[in-house]
Every structure is written in structure tokens, then in C-alpha cells.
Amino acid sequence: MPKVEERLRALGSERAPAGFAERVIGAALGDAYAPVDTVIGRFWVAWNGSRISAVQLMQEAEFVAWFERETRRPLRRVESVPDRVRERVLEMRGRDLVYDLSSISPFERAVLMKTLEIPRGEVRTYSWVAREIGAPRAVRAVGTALANNPIPLLIPCHRVVRSDGVIGNYGAGGPVAKKRLLALEGVRVEELEQLARRRTRFIGSDTTHVFCVPTCRDARRVTDRHRVEFRTEAEAEAAGYRPCRHCRPVAAA
């Protein structure tokens, strides 16, 4: 470890808040960055100590300019991304990592942290995210926040779809890339698109009288014999069905 980094880390070694040393080092030396090659292209990953600060599908020069403009911090190229972070990027599993989202607004942070809760292999809608963070009328703002997500793949904005069930666009490669990522996670994309064409938004079970979003783990267990499709929440509730406690297809209590 370089001597200057040792000295900076020592500043936070005694009675300092968690992460203090990493923030000092980042401010002095800049965030480190390196590439990770994925199934949809080369992403550049930046981190500051233990905090991930960016994951972007760009040319290197474009990434450096974007990062320094957005965060007002310098970048320094290193040989490789830490193994644990690289594995998480490739697996699209980011729930156990720590993020530096200091360059975005509190609303945008709320959107991204809620999106981080969406299980792998499942999707939710923009309106679901808006309702879950207590801003049900801010669906368009949620879409904008996700379009500008500085850390895709790890914060899985590809798991958010339109309210009508259509897959929708994706900032890191468009709809084709989004569908490929979802398919890799086990989402039956073709079936999801068929449901959207039929305007089916929820799946219920006539044995439990519970309705879910189509990709919910509980919905996937329902056999064809007991499967009931609903177009709206009101239709499901009028039929005597209650919302799933796992996927929360209606507003959170």
C-alpha cells in the first residue's frame, strides 16, 4: 500500500465514523476504476474504498469525463476491479454492497434503494416503486431517476418495467439488453410480453385467493389449473382476492 494511503487511512483509525478513512482517501487520491466485461458490453466500475460509486456502459474517455463532471472527483485507473465486486457485477447481485450516492438527490437515492430490493428474477413497475417510496404521483420522476441510474446491474433498474407490463427501455443497451439481462435471471420474458398484450397485470391462485405480480415467486408456483388472471387491482379485490405480502402488488401499508 502506498505510504500516502497508509497515512490517510491512519487518520480514520481511532474513534472515527465508519468509512471515514475511505472517504479521506477518495478525496485525496480519487476513485479507482477498471473495466468489467459483461454479456451486454464493457462496463467501467468506479469505487471509493468500500463504496461503489459508478457502473457505466461507455467508452473509457466518456466515462472519465462523465464521472468527474457528476461527482467533481478525480478518477485513477487501476489494474482490475476487486474480485468480489466483479463477481457481483457479473451476477447482477448488489444487495450486499455499499454505495456512494452522494452526487444525486434524496429522491433519486430513495428510488434506487427501493429498486435494490427487487428480487433477482422478478420485475416491478415504475408505479410500484413510486408508491413504495411514498410518492405515488411521481411515476415519471421515478422513470427519470432510473434512466439516470449511476450504478446499473448492481442497482437493478432492468427489473423495473412499465405499468402495462411492457418491458420498456433501458439506458445501458436498450430493450434488447434489458430482455437479455432479465432472461439470464430466469424471467420468462416472452410470457411476460404475452401477458402485457392481454393486459394482464396480476396472477391469482383460486386456492389461496392471493394475487401477485406475474414474476413473483408465489405466482410462479401457481399451476395452470388454479391460475386466475386479472387486469386491475380492483378486479382482483372485487373477486375476493387479497394482495400478496411478498411482492406487494398494491400500495404498501
Side-chain angles (χ1 to χ4, degrees), residues 45-58:
V45 180
W47 66 97
N48 188 326
S50 61
R51 297 171 180 267
I52 310 302
S53 47
V55 177
Q56 290 291 307
L57 181 65
M58 297 176 175

Side-chain angles (χ1 to χ4, degrees), residues 140-163:
R140 184 170 296 181
V142 166
T144 300
L146 292 175
N148 295 323
N149 178 10
I151 311 178
L153 297 185
L154 292 177
I155 298 179
C157 51
H158 62 278
R159 296 177 194 158
V160 185
V161 301
R162 285 172 26 180
S163 294

Side-chain angles (χ1 to χ4, degrees), residues 140-204:
R140 184 170 296 181
V142 166
T144 300
L146 292 175
N148 295 323
N149 178 10
I151 311 178
L153 297 185
L154 292 177
I155 298 179
C157 51
H158 62 278
R159 296 177 194 158
V160 185
V161 301
R162 285 172 26 180
S163 294
D164 59 4
V166 173
I167 298 297
N169 207 352
Y170 183 53
V176 172
K178 187 172 186 177
K179 292 176 184 179
R180 187 172 185 186
L181 295 178
L182 290 173
L184 286 172
E185 293 186 343
V187 175
R188 296 190 287 251
V189 175
E190 185 176 345
E191 179 182 331
L192 207 59
E193 292 180 321
Q194 289 174 353
L195 290 173
R197 286 193 289 271
R198 295 203 299 268
R199 299 183 180 179
T200 296
R201 292 180 57 202
F202 305 109
I203 300 297

Side-chain angles (χ1 to χ4, degrees), residues 5 19 23 58 72 78 80 82 95 100 105 130-131 136 143 147 151 166 178 202 204-205 211 214 216 218 230 252:
E5 189 169 339
R23 291 194 292 272
M58 297 176 175
R72 299 185 179 180
V78 298
S80 62
R95 295 182 72 169
D100 181 350
S105 71
R131 291 189 308 184
I151 311 178
V166 173
K178 187 172 186 177
F202 305 109
S205 165
F211 71 97
C216 175
D218 292 337
F230 298 107

Side-chain angles (χ1 to χ4, degrees), residues 35-43 86 90:
V36 173
D37 290 317
T38 77
V39 295
I40 61 171
R42 169 166 285 190
F43 281 78
R86 181 178 180 278
L90 294 175

Side-chain angles (χ1 to χ4, degrees), residues 104-105 107-109 111-112 115 126 129-130 138-150 157 160 171:
I104 64 176
S105 71
F107 175 83
E108 290 169 319
R109 286 196 292 273
V111 169
L112 297 185
T115 301
Y126 295 102
V129 174
V139 176
R140 184 170 296 181
V142 166
T144 300
L146 292 175
N148 295 323
N149 178 10
C157 51
V160 185

